[in-house]
Amino acid sequence: MRVLRCSLVALAMTAFALAQGRQHPVAMPQGQPAAAPPTAIIEASAVITGRGNELHNTRILVQDGRIAAIGPDVTSPGAVVYDLRGQTVLPGFIDVHEHLTRHFGSNGNADDPRESQQQRTLGVVNNLWVTLMAGFTTVQSVGEPQDLVLRQYVQQGIIPGPRILTSYQDIYGSPYVGDDTTLRAKVDMLKYEGADLVKIFASDSIRDGANPILTLHQLQVLCGEARRVGLRTLVHAYRGSVHNAIAAGCTEVEHGTYGTQADLTFMAQKGVYFDPQIGLVIQNYIEHQKQFFGNGDYDASGFARMKQAMAINDKLFQEAVHTPGLKVVMGTDAVAGAFGHQEEEIIARIKLGQPAMDALDAATSLNAESLSLGSKIGTLAPGYRANIIAVAGDPLANPDFLRKVSFVMKDGTVYKDAVAPSSHPE
Ligand SMILES: [Zn+2]
């Protein structure tokens, strides 16, 4: 409850401060169903486009929720001007792997058996809010049925949050998972329910040993059926399951711990996306160990296995970014405690040696491509959705500035404008 209460107080204070201090429109955090956002111009001294390049001293014209033009001379009579000079402007970040509904309950723990439905809903809405405030304007949740109503309410502007894609639920390997017909039916059911993708567990948890729980044949059936009905497949895979997921023609490998250089090369050859984690999820579990401990496999041996995996994950990540042609996307695997801190994954990747521009491209345009949204989001260019954020410094010089998100616009609506007027150069 402490986490939730602090954030709601902060949220209310932000709304108050914004209402008092600034004449620019900022969406009510409570999320009134959005009226069409006004035409806006963003004045910027530094813009990172999401496609490996940087623009200086330019203006971004936003109309009808999209970027209409970029250039030093663009203008539009009556437009609201956001002066972001002195900040670094970026595309809104995208996280391809989150568990949106995971939160600490009123007892402070990940497992709260007495939690009411209202408490649960508020915990999840808080996840959405702090995620948006951290500059993430699109997230992919892997996933629970409750995600569907969240996706809808955010899309309708009833609650504030990032654009949501969801797997609805996952397909978990087990001796009882069923024959090929049953496997295909599971995929078809997800399509029917409105899932944006299929999340498949080909291995059990790293806390349980990271053992295979689906065969190559089963993965071929699942990923083949998903492809047939037009759904992408994200496969939670460790050890030999990594090779199987690639060989089965699945879209993306999650985690990949205990994978090999041969697996990474195979992924690159087959155009399979790779989503490793080094900066947030295990660190968050350790930081909040007391709040997770005792729930299922979150026991002494589970934590020991997660800690052991950290150095292994770091090494695999470094091999991955040096594997020619491998598309390394940015997913945090955020769970309770990690929301609002998703930038830590990007920061860790840069600190472990990935060039900062590559890490930022991964979290924006490459992630968008992996969601089949590469022509709509993740890039600052005319025609793209106006998902535009700013941070209070140059993240290419110091990635820690990614923690200082000063401005958030989603689809042309401003949700955060915390740029101090004094920071604007004259
Ligand atoms: Zn996950």
Side-chain angles (χ1 to χ4, degrees):
M1 192 59 169
R2 191 171 57 82
V3 172
L4 176 63
R5 190 186 298 140
C6 288
S7 296
L8 288 175
V9 169
L11 187 154
M13 287 174 66
T14 304
F16 179 73
L18 290 169
Q20 294 295 303
R22 301 188 66 81
Q23 71 277 44
H24 293 156
V26 174
M28 288 301 291
Q30 291 84 357
Q32 310 292 336
T39 296
I41 286 176
I42 291 170
E43 277 200 75
S45 49
V47 176
I48 291 172
T49 63
R51 297 258 177 189
N53 57 330
E54 202 176 357
L55 309 173
H56 292 283
N57 301 319
T58 194
R59 309 179 109 205
I60 304 172
L61 175 63
V62 174
Q63 279 173 333
D64 302 322
R66 289 174 198 279
I67 298 172
I70 301 180
D73 303 320
V74 299
T75 186
S76 179
V80 180
V81 177
Y82 295 95
D83 187 349
L84 303 185
R85 289 174 295 168
Q87 316 286 304
T88 301
V89 175
L90 298 133
F93 292 128
I94 300 168
D95 187 349
V96 298
H97 187 137
E98 298 201 337
H99 298 272
L100 270 187
T101 57
R102 309 276 184 87
H103 62 284
F104 295 128
S106 61
N107 64 356
N109 296 331
D111 181 36
D112 182 2
R114 302 184 65 176
E115 182 174 55
S116 70
Q117 187 58 47
Q118 288 98 323
Q119 288 170 321
R120 175 175 159 85
T121 300
L122 286 170
V124 178
V125 167
N126 181 62
N127 284 348
L128 297 179
W129 174 250
V130 296
T131 295
L132 188 61
M133 290 299 97
F136 284 75
T137 51
T138 302
V139 301
Q140 179 161 261
S141 184
V142 290
E144 287 195 43
Q146 192 185 0
D147 292 344
L148 287 188
V149 72
L150 299 172
R151 182 179 70 181
Q152 178 195 345
Y153 273 38
V154 169
Q155 205 244 326
Q156 293 179 346
I158 298 169
I159 56 172
R163 176 188 193 138
I164 294 168
L165 292 83
T166 177
S167 67
Y168 182 75
Q169 62 188 34
D170 56 61
I171 296 175
Y172 198 90
S174 83
Y176 316 105
V177 74
D179 61 10
D180 292 0
T181 304
T182 308
L183 292 176
R184 287 191 197 96
K186 286 176 192 276
V187 172
D188 297 348
M189 186 277 289
L190 295 174
K191 176 78 177 178
Y192 174 80
E193 293 290 354
D196 299 293
L197 69 143
V198 180
K199 169 74 187 297
I200 299 165
F201 279 83
S203 307
D204 66 6
S205 166
I206 200 138
R207 292 175 293 280
D208 299 322
N211 305 298
I213 53 176
L214 286 171
T215 64
L216 171 60
H217 174 76
Q218 289 172 317
L219 283 168
Q220 284 167 331
V221 171
L222 289 167
C223 293
E225 180 66 3
R227 205 164 43 246
R228 191 184 73 77
V229 301
L231 291 176
R232 297 171 290 110
T233 38
L234 269 64
V235 184
H236 167 111
Y238 303 117
R239 308 187 195 280
S241 295
V242 175
H243 177 91
N244 287 349
I246 308 162
C250 307
T251 313
E252 184 168 310
V253 168
E254 302 303 306
H255 320 310
T257 309
Y258 308 116
T260 65
Q261 178 62 61
D263 293 331
L264 299 172
T265 304
F266 191 27
M267 267 185 243
Q269 280 169 2
K270 299 271 276 181
V272 171
Y273 295 98
F274 181 40
D275 179 27
Q277 286 79 35
I278 60 167
L280 180 61
V281 59
I282 294 180
Q283 288 85 346
N284 177 71
Y285 279 132
I286 292 169
E287 184 183 340
H288 297 282
Q289 182 160 345
K290 283 199 186 113
Q291 291 159 279
F292 287 99
F293 204 85
N295 182 15
D297 57 12
Y298 295 90
D299 53 16
S301 80
F303 272 94
R305 281 173 163 148
M306 287 198 286
K307 285 174 188 168
Q308 273 170 10
M310 292 174 85
I312 294 166
N313 288 340
D314 284 357
K315 181 165 172 289
L316 188 68
F317 173 78
Q318 288 175 311
E319 289 170 349
V321 296
H322 287 107
T323 300
L326 179 55
K327 296 187 281 194
V328 183
V329 293
M330 203 296 294
T332 65
D333 203 3
V335 294
F339 292 94
H341 305 289
Q342 289 97 326
E343 75 283 355
E344 294 301 328
E345 179 67 32
I346 311 173
I347 294 169
R349 291 175 176 208
I350 296 169
K351 290 186 176 175
L352 207 59
Q354 186 176 30
M357 193 64 103
D358 292 355
L360 295 171
D361 286 354
T364 55
S365 65
L366 183 64
N367 270 1
E369 178 199 304
S370 80
L371 305 178
S372 302
L373 291 172
S375 64
K376 294 189 172 70
I377 61 171
T379 298
L380 297 185
Y384 280 81
R385 304 296 310 173
N387 295 333
I388 302 171
I389 67 165
V391 298
D394 180 5
L396 299 176
N398 180 357
D400 291 344
F401 281 119
L402 298 175
R403 298 187 184 118
K404 300 198 180 309
V405 172
S406 54
F407 181 86
V408 177
M409 171 187 276
K410 195 192 84 174
D411 293 334
T413 296
V414 176
Y415 290 88
K416 183 179 197 177
D417 180 7
V419 179
S422 60
S423 76
H424 294 150
E426 291 309 319

